[in-house]
Amino acid sequence: MAALNIKPLTGVGGGTTNLLSNLPATAEKNKQWQRELLMERIRSHSSQHKTFPELSKAMRMGMLEKRYPLDAVEKANLQKCLDNMQHCIKVTSRQGLVERLESLSRQLSLKFSDDSKALFISTDMFYLEILLDSNGSLTDVKVHHESKVEQQSCSELVDCLNRGDFADFTAQLEGFSSIYQLNAESKVKIKAYDAMQAMETDLYNIFQMQNFSKDAAQILQDSAVGIVMQRRGGHPMRLVYFVSPYDLISVESKTLQPITLDTFNNKSIGFSVTVNLEASSANKLQILPTVTLSKDPQTGMDMPAFAPLTQMNSMLLPATFVLRLNKPLPVCYNTLRAMGLCPAAGNENSPSMSTSLESQNKPPVVSNIMSLIIQTASDQQTKTNQKGLFVHLPDQTHCYYFTENKLMKSTLIHSVPFTEPSQ
């Protein structure tokens, strides 16, 4: 049998190897061709596209045309967010101060203007002039009321701006604005500050009757108006009429701190009222001080003399003076009737109840006076006295019960309106 001579097809095998090795190069060329085609298509349309500056200009012009409807709610929310962000930014430059004051003015519906040497916050009734030096540092703050000829430098506003305490600055602006919240024409409203200033002067003159004593506790007990803290910028005058011993306890030293006038300047303690002016029906209010002090020939002590209201020292204003309590106070209806702040007996729930007995547009709370005392003393943690009041002593425990009495029906008061006694 003849042997078969089989030879390998080297030529065919080599061609297959070369073909496989050329596949990646072919794929790469296909990708390049595709990219070139895409780039050519882009180049063909490039003349139809605008540059970034042109797009930016077109967008600005479109926004100025205001062809789209403005959503008031979204705009208000955006402004609120921006104001909140502004409050978190520390003021370290003149521009920062300008932005912060502009934000505060907008929130309080006041006008703000920026001058090269001063900043102005204004309303129709008053304006603040904030003076800055060439470096942008604060030098002074002046307050000008329309009823006054000269401006008044206000150190309290200067101090709070230097401290960066814009919360206090806002509170003082609100205090100035609240004086003029009357339903009247501008020529009438400008007299509101005169009336407020005249009342504050009279109250302080009465307080000065006790200036012979240096003991704050004695003054607090004997003074007809308590301890008077004069107006500080936009913060109203404050009268402190009672201080509990618990307010004077020092937890650190476990001692009773003495009462001094500086104690009331540094912190708010005790029960007090602030003197304010609120809109009401027309009343004849003083616009000049009416109290003078004269010595009693028998005792030699200073006694107040009240001048009657005339056309020279008073005018008719749609307002009334108000004492706002720093804490709600339980008061019996019999006492309120004697003060003229309550309807006749049996009509305690009448809708004609004085607004001074209401809080945040809520009807007055009518209850037994002991229940209200317990609620206010416990910060609303204890609502009733039916379970008894427990007093724990070192060696024993007492429990007190209080019986109900119709004559002890009472309510909480938050403010007390008042005018000149002859009104």
Side-chain angles (χ1 to χ4, degrees), residues 10-240:
T10 55
V12 176
T16 303
T17 303
N18 293 335
L19 181 61
L20 293 175
S21 62
N22 291 333
L23 286 177
T26 304
E28 184 65 26
K29 287 184 178 181
N30 289 335
K31 290 182 179 180
Q32 290 181 359
W33 292 340
Q34 291 177 2
R35 283 197 296 267
E36 287 295 331
L37 289 174
L38 289 174
M39 291 301 297
E40 188 62 30
R41 292 174 63 182
I42 292 174
R43 293 188 190 98
S44 64
H45 292 83
S46 61
S47 59
Q48 302 176 9
H49 296 285
K50 297 180 180 180
T51 62
F52 180 78
E54 292 175 339
L55 289 174
S56 177
K57 181 179 179 181
M59 182 176 292
R60 287 198 302 269
M61 295 301 295
M63 294 179 67
L64 290 175
E65 290 179 3
K66 295 183 179 180
R67 295 179 179 177
Y68 54 90
L70 291 177
D71 190 336
V73 176
E74 290 186 1
K75 185 177 180 181
N77 290 336
L78 177 60
Q79 187 63 64
K80 184 178 180 180
C81 292
L82 292 175
D83 290 337
N84 290 336
M85 292 174 61
Q86 184 68 44
H87 293 168
C88 298
I89 300 175
K90 185 177 180 180
V91 176
T92 57
S93 62
R94 184 186 189 279
Q95 184 60 31
L97 179 63
V98 170
E99 293 176 356
R100 177 64 65 86
L101 294 180
E102 185 177 8
S103 174
L104 292 178
S105 302
R106 181 172 55 253
Q107 294 178 53
L108 298 177
S109 300
L110 304 178
K111 300 176 184 178
F112 178 82
S113 57
D114 182 6
D115 196 359
S116 59
K117 296 182 180 179
L119 309 176
F120 295 90
I121 299 176
S122 61
T123 66
D124 295 337
M125 297 292 102
F126 73 94
Y127 69 85
L128 267 62
E129 182 180 3
I130 304 170
L131 301 177
L132 306 173
D133 60 16
S134 58
N135 298 324
S137 300
L138 181 68
T139 58
D140 196 7
V141 178
K142 294 184 178 181
V143 183
H144 178 78
H145 295 272
E146 289 298 321
S147 61
K148 301 297 180 182
V149 177
E150 297 181 355
Q151 296 177 340
Q152 301 172 349
S153 181
C154 186
S155 60
E156 290 81 8
L157 290 174
V158 175
D159 292 340
C160 67
L161 286 179
N162 284 330
R163 296 194 311 267
D165 189 353
F166 291 96
D168 182 55
F169 184 81
T170 302
Q172 294 196 52
L173 281 178
E174 291 175 338
F176 284 126
S177 299
S178 65
I179 299 175
Y180 298 101
Q181 300 303 313
L182 307 180
N183 186 19
E185 298 178 355
S186 297
K187 62 181 181 180
V188 176
K189 288 198 292 185
I190 60 175
K191 293 297 183 180
Y193 185 76
D194 292 339
M196 191 78 262
Q197 196 173 43
M199 175 56 66
E200 291 174 351
T201 301
D202 282 347
L203 291 174
Y204 192 73
N205 286 338
I206 296 175
F207 171 69
Q208 287 293 94
M209 293 168 49
Q210 306 293 329
N211 60 2
F212 60 87
S213 176
K214 301 300 181 182
D215 186 358
Q218 190 68 27
I219 296 175
L220 184 63
Q221 179 179 350
D222 296 340
S223 175
V225 291
I227 292 181
V228 177
M229 314 303 296
Q230 288 185 289
R231 169 178 287 274
R232 297 182 300 106
H235 296 299
M237 172 179 279
R238 185 163 63 98
L239 314 179
V240 183

Side-chain angles (χ1 to χ4, degrees), residues 225 227-232 235-240 263-275 326:
V225 291
I227 292 181
V228 177
M229 314 303 296
Q230 288 185 289
R231 169 178 287 274
R232 297 182 300 106
H235 296 299
M237 172 179 279
R238 185 163 63 98
L239 314 179
V240 183
T263 304
F264 302 102
N265 287 323
N266 298 331
K267 58 182 179 179
S268 178
I269 63 172
F271 289 80
S272 63
V273 296
T274 55
V275 185
N326 66 330

Side-chain angles (χ1 to χ4, degrees), residues 323-379:
L323 299 177
R324 292 180 187 165
L325 284 71
N326 66 330
K327 303 175 184 178
L329 185 66
V331 180
C332 287
Y333 275 106
N334 289 336
T335 303
L336 294 176
R337 292 189 192 99
M339 297 171 62
L341 298 176
C342 181
N347 294 329
E348 287 82 0
N349 296 319
S350 171
S352 61
M353 177 73 68
S354 172
T355 57
S356 64
L357 307 181
E358 301 177 2
S359 174
Q360 299 178 352
N361 298 324
K362 296 180 180 179
V365 179
V366 180
S367 180
N368 184 277
I369 191 169
M370 292 309 305
S371 297
L372 293 180
I373 291 175
I374 292 169
Q375 291 180 32
T376 54
S378 64
D379 294 330

